[in-house]
Amino acid sequence: MVFDAIIVAAGSGARAGGPKQWRMLGGKPVARWSAEAFLAADARRIVVVVPPGDNTPQDVFSGLERVTLAQGGGTRAQSVANGLRALGDDAAEIVLVHDAARPLLTAVHVAGLLGAMGDADGAILTLPLADSLKRGADVITSTESRDGLWRAQTPQAFRTDVLRRAYAAWPAEQTPTDDAEVVERIGGRVRIVPGDPRLMKLTYPEDFAMAEALIGRTTRVGQGYDAHRFGPGDHVTLCGVKIAHDQGLVGHSDADAGLHAITDAVLGALGAGDIGQHFPPSDPQWKGAASDLFLAHAAHLVSARGGRIVHIDVTLVCEAPRVGPHRDAMRGRVAEILALPLDAVSVKATTTEGMGFTGRKEGLTASAIATVELLA
């Protein structure tokens, strides 16, 4: 069934501590979740109603086809009316109106609404009331029946011409609780469709923690390894920390084997190749470069996929320099680069007891494991 969608994203988010529609959730802005869900459900066109003069939406919806922006009004009802006008005369027969503050929308929700339309004027997602209803102020005066009462969610689906007529007839001095009420007032028939508790509305700051917990994630583990030989110099850099030494490490960049191994571990968890593919040693721009640039790049790739790095474990193998005195500084630097708590970074050191090239003090090695969570 062909349909258009309106996403209402023009609120100030006062109770959430700011414009919640632009806050990050699972690695992307809240409002983008709904736009991508409508695209996945094959919406013909999506109009996002945004605050006047706000340039943020240009970046939030960058790269999404069939998405256009419209200016919001002083109330939600005015914003919906503006969205309807933005659809123009060639709007689809069905329009879905959705609050950007309900980001965990899926194509299944959309299909349920469209399938319920039939000959009705609208259809809305609803949840039954599970709690007892009490009436009163300081003391309870009565207990109300829950029979026939529902919690309304969005999106809500309507015949576009009916919703337009309903808003044209709505008294300007009154504020509707939702779009279904506007259609009900002109006698429209609105069907009830089973809703989904995961379509919770983000209202307060603590709601974001709940939404993060509801996002499906998969855990991946990546492994990285690097080795560098010693050469002329008066220091080495390991895990982002400069350590005085009677030799240096030879490499195209700063030869930080620790950060190189961690970077490869993160890239491995993503299935994104290795450090040489992203920063070829044949490219002169990386000569002598600080390796924290490489690790920050890998971390950005994780964020771009809606993921997060959970834990880093790196082991340095060398006879010298001594790692112990610098262990906490190394942990702190890696944690800083990846925006992790200190206890999410482990740095260990060992020797080969005189065996091999590390035992002969010809060089050192580093191995790392990165644990990453990605959107399922």
Side-chain angles (χ1 to χ4, degrees):
M1 182 180 294
V2 178
F3 73 97
D4 292 330
I6 297 172
I7 300 176
V8 184
S12 63
R15 289 177 292 182
K20 55 194 172 187
Q21 64 271 40
W22 313 143
R23 283 183 57 176
M24 301 300 286
L25 176 69
K28 57 187 172 185
V30 166
R32 189 176 176 104
W33 282 84
S34 297
E36 291 181 353
F38 277 129
L39 289 174
D42 206 24
R44 189 197 68 159
R45 184 180 173 194
I46 302 167
V47 172
V48 185
V49 188
V50 301
D54 190 342
N55 294 322
T56 306
Q58 301 292 341
D59 293 329
V60 169
F61 302 103
S62 174
L64 297 185
E65 297 181 357
R66 307 196 303 276
V67 175
T68 59
L69 306 180
Q71 183 171 296
T75 65
R76 183 188 182 282
Q78 291 170 356
S79 291
V80 174
N82 289 354
L84 287 169
R85 279 191 290 271
L87 287 175
D89 296 333
D90 63 340
E93 179 185 358
I94 304 296
V95 62
L96 271 64
V97 182
H98 184 54
D99 294 331
R102 297 183 188 269
L104 302 187
L105 173 67
T106 70
V108 174
H109 301 133
V110 174
L113 289 168
L114 296 177
M117 285 295 292
D119 61 353
D121 298 305
I124 69 170
L125 297 170
T126 62
L127 293 174
L129 294 174
D131 300 320
S132 295
L133 298 180
K134 304 292 183 179
R135 188 182 297 277
D138 294 333
V139 296
I140 296 172
T141 57
S142 65
T143 298
E144 306 295 335
S145 172
R146 296 174 300 195
D147 293 344
L149 295 180
W150 303 89
R151 293 165 50 200
Q153 297 182 303
T154 70
Q156 299 181 349
F158 305 96
R159 300 199 179 278
T160 306
D161 61 337
V162 173
L163 187 59
R164 281 175 166 160
R165 285 193 286 108
Y167 266 109
W170 184 265
E173 70 279 4
Q174 296 183 25
T175 302
T177 59
D178 64 359
D179 305 293
E181 182 182 6
V182 179
V183 172
E184 294 160 22
R185 190 177 183 278
I186 65 168
R189 295 173 60 247
V190 180
R191 284 206 171 95
I192 289 174
V193 178
D196 185 345
R198 291 173 297 179
L199 264 176
M200 60 180 292
K201 186 176 183 180
L202 303 180
T203 303
Y204 301 102
E206 57 268 27
D207 294 337
F208 283 82
M210 178 67 74
E212 286 281 1
L214 290 173
I215 295 173
R217 296 182 183 274
T218 181
T219 300
R220 293 187 179 186
V221 176
Q223 182 180 8
Y225 175 85
D226 194 35
H228 285 281
R229 61 184 175 86
F230 285 121
D234 60 5
H235 74 277
V236 298
T237 301
L238 292 173
C239 294
V241 175
K242 185 176 179 179
I243 303 172
H245 190 50
D246 58 4
Q247 290 181 296
L249 288 171
V250 178
H252 186 66
S253 63
D254 62 3
D256 188 332
L259 291 191
H260 292 180
I262 297 171
T263 301
D264 265 354
V266 174
L267 292 174
L270 290 175
D274 58 38
I275 194 170
Q277 292 175 252
H278 294 261
F279 303 95
S282 58
D283 190 337
Q285 70 173 309
W286 307 121
K287 184 174 179 59
S291 295
D292 55 1
L293 297 175
F294 308 156
L295 183 54
H297 169 76
H300 173 73
L301 294 180
V302 174
S303 297
R305 290 181 53 176
R308 59 188 177 191
I309 298 170
V310 178
H311 184 260
I312 295 294
D313 185 16
V314 60
T315 300
L316 303 172
V317 182
C318 58
E319 298 291 333
R322 290 187 60 211
V323 171
H326 310 282
R327 189 191 315 270
D328 288 342
M330 292 179 183
R331 294 176 65 208
R333 181 59 185 139
V334 173
E336 180 183 17
I337 297 169
L338 298 178
L340 290 174
L342 188 62
D343 65 359
V345 177
S346 171
V347 174
K348 307 190 297 292
T350 189
T351 72
T352 57
E353 298 186 357
M355 297 181 292
F357 77 91
T358 58
R360 294 191 297 270
K361 300 182 181 181
E362 295 172 2
L364 56 77
T365 69
S367 62
I369 295 175
T371 305
V372 174
E373 288 185 349
L374 297 176
L375 296 178

